[in-house]
Amino acid sequence: MTAGVALRPFAHAWFCYFAAIGAFSLYAPLWFREQGLSALAIGSIASLQSWTRVFAPYGWAWLADHSNRRRTLLRLAGGLCVLFALALALTGRYGVAAVTLCAVLLWAANGAVMPLTEASLAHQLNLAEGGGGAGGRYGRTRVWGSVGFATSVLLFGALLNALGVLAWPWLELGLWLLLSVALWRLPLMSEAAHHASAPAGALAVLRRPEVAWFFAGVFLTVLAHVSLYAFFSLFAVSFGMSETTIGLLWSLGLLLEIAFFWTQGHWFERLSMHDWLVLAAVVAALRFGLMAAFGGYMVVLLLTQLTHAVTFAAQHAACISLVARYFPGRLRGRGQALYTTLGYGASGVVGGVAGGALIERWGYPAVFWASSGSALLAVACLLRSRRCARAAA
């Protein structure tokens, strides 16, 4: 089997997963409103994904690493996603408690997909060894997640215009069903019972200085981006920009993200993974500082969206490579879960609450100034991680 054929099931899984995530994130609030839920209830339900990312990914990964049954658990998670999505569609009319319960269960189930699929893909590509070849194949596989997100956002918008918002849960259910099929087709990715370079446990790795500073930098870099994901649309609207303009700005960033992943092998030969992380944090600090100071100017927003290829795509790919290097063998799943939990779960919870408080008191620019400051702190942490890694080599 060629490398391309072996990676095709992962591309299918990423496409379906991010298609489902995109359609849920953008259109579920519209359906919740049709069910009579208040804005507070909708906001609370929307925050559940970040809360479940704090515990669910690591729980799934712990089971996978200890049982060495990664594919079986992915198949189970896919089936549970279908079950809970069906429950959400059927119980929506029963009020906020039923919707909340189904949403929590759905996010807890799909919390397995990111860490276990990333761990399997890292195993398939041998990302721990690094190199542009492996990085390039990773980028050309992971890019299909971005394509799936964009496709579902555009397609669901057209379908819901034609069919009505009440069709959303059934269309969403179809995406989770496609994901379940894709996960079922993933190749068997078992680790050796013992790995020569694997330490005693994931927490032992986390205590190493270069790893601890790495995760601190990841947390702060992603925390800086919470303002973008949670508040950028509202920020743009505050300057009188139309929904169409906002959509085009989002699309520009997504296109650059796709382009970077597709050409990743070419770029990743130029810098080390630590250097890419430092560069991404520096660019993020500039990006959000410019938005805070000059966000009312369209040319500034266009320029800052162009940086998304570095601040997200390059940063994410470098993180995946380093996590695979730090957590080899049977620790692979827990390493990816720590990345999801510390990078995206905790930062989403903190950033959403703190960002809302900053906006209430000082307005939208304040949250982007805070994001710029967070990225600068990330630079300091990542420079320290790079220094410790070189000393330990």
Side-chain angles (χ1 to χ4, degrees):
M1 179 180 292
T2 67
V5 173
L7 297 180
R8 196 171 296 151
F10 291 97
H12 294 164
W14 283 130
F15 182 95
C16 296
Y17 174 73
F18 282 99
I21 294 296
F24 194 104
S25 300
L26 270 70
Y27 298 112
L30 302 179
W31 182 74
F32 293 152
R33 185 179 60 188
E34 288 292 318
Q35 306 306 309
L37 274 64
S38 67
L40 176 60
I42 293 172
S44 299
I45 293 171
S47 71
L48 290 174
Q49 183 180 13
S50 293
W51 286 102
T52 55
R53 278 178 172 174
V54 173
F55 64 87
Y58 196 85
W60 283 104
W62 186 92
L63 286 173
D65 287 349
H66 281 79
S67 67
N68 204 19
R69 303 288 295 274
R70 194 179 295 149
R71 184 172 66 170
T72 299
L73 289 171
L74 276 170
R75 289 175 171 180
L76 173 62
L80 290 175
C81 286
V82 173
L83 176 64
F84 297 140
L86 175 61
L88 181 64
L90 294 174
T91 60
R93 64 181 180 275
Y94 293 110
V96 64
V99 170
T100 300
L101 176 61
C102 291
V104 168
L105 293 173
L106 177 59
W107 291 127
N110 71 47
V113 178
M114 282 287 287
L116 301 192
T117 308
E118 288 280 18
S120 296
L121 184 55
H123 175 95
Q124 177 83 338
L125 294 173
N126 198 20
L127 282 181
E129 300 301 321
R137 291 194 297 276
Y138 173 83
R140 291 200 174 201
T141 306
R142 175 59 177 79
V143 70
W144 289 102
S146 301
V147 174
F149 189 99
T151 300
S152 72
V153 168
L154 294 173
L155 183 61
F156 266 54
L159 288 173
L160 294 178
N161 279 334
L163 302 175
V165 174
L166 293 178
W168 172 81
W170 304 104
L171 296 173
E172 182 75 18
L173 174 61
L175 292 178
W176 293 113
L177 182 59
L178 289 174
L179 174 65
S180 182
V181 173
L183 294 176
W184 193 268
R185 296 179 59 249
L186 288 179
L188 179 62
M189 288 289 148
S190 298
E191 304 287 356
H194 300 284
H195 194 287
S197 62
L203 294 182
V205 179
L206 189 58
R207 285 193 290 268
R208 286 163 45 188
E210 68 272 25
V211 180
W213 285 111
F214 160 74
F215 275 116
V218 170
F219 170 82
L220 289 166
T221 304
V222 179
L223 178 63
H225 282 72
V226 172
S227 62
L228 181 74
Y229 302 130
F231 306 114
F232 175 74
S233 295
L234 296 173
F235 176 63
V237 167
S238 72
F239 289 108
M241 296 180 189
S242 68
E243 288 80 1
T244 300
T245 300
I246 294 168
L248 290 173
L249 288 170
W250 277 113
S251 299
L252 177 62
L254 191 59
L255 285 174
L256 269 294
E257 173 186 323
I258 291 171
F260 184 91
F261 279 133
W262 191 256
T263 60
Q264 179 181 319
H266 173 72
W267 300 109
F268 261 34
E269 291 285 357
R270 299 170 181 267
L271 297 172
S272 72
M273 297 302 103
H274 285 97
D275 289 339
W276 274 111
L277 290 179
V278 172
L279 175 63
V282 169
V283 174
L286 292 172
R287 176 184 191 177
F288 297 120
L290 286 171
M291 290 176 66
F294 307 107
Y297 296 93
M298 176 58 67
V299 65
V300 172
L301 294 184
L302 286 170
L303 289 173
T304 56
Q305 285 300 94
L306 292 176
T307 67
H308 195 66
V310 175
T311 67
F312 170 72
Q315 190 266 355
H316 172 74
C319 285
I320 293 298
S321 181
L322 284 176
V323 169
R325 186 182 307 171
Y326 291 142
F327 297 88
R330 295 286 291 275
L331 298 182
R332 204 183 302 274
R334 276 167 285 176
Q336 296 296 342
L338 283 171
Y339 170 59
T340 301
T341 297
L342 299 177
Y344 287 87
S347 62
V349 172
V350 172
V353 174
L358 285 173
I359 291 169
E360 286 290 323
R361 187 167 182 86
W362 290 294
Y364 287 104
V367 76
F368 291 100
W369 282 122
S371 293
S372 183
S374 179
L376 286 174
L377 290 175
V379 172
C381 293
L382 294 166
L383 286 172
R384 184 68 180 271
S385 174
R386 185 178 66 178
R387 190 179 309 119
C388 292
R390 289 174 176 175

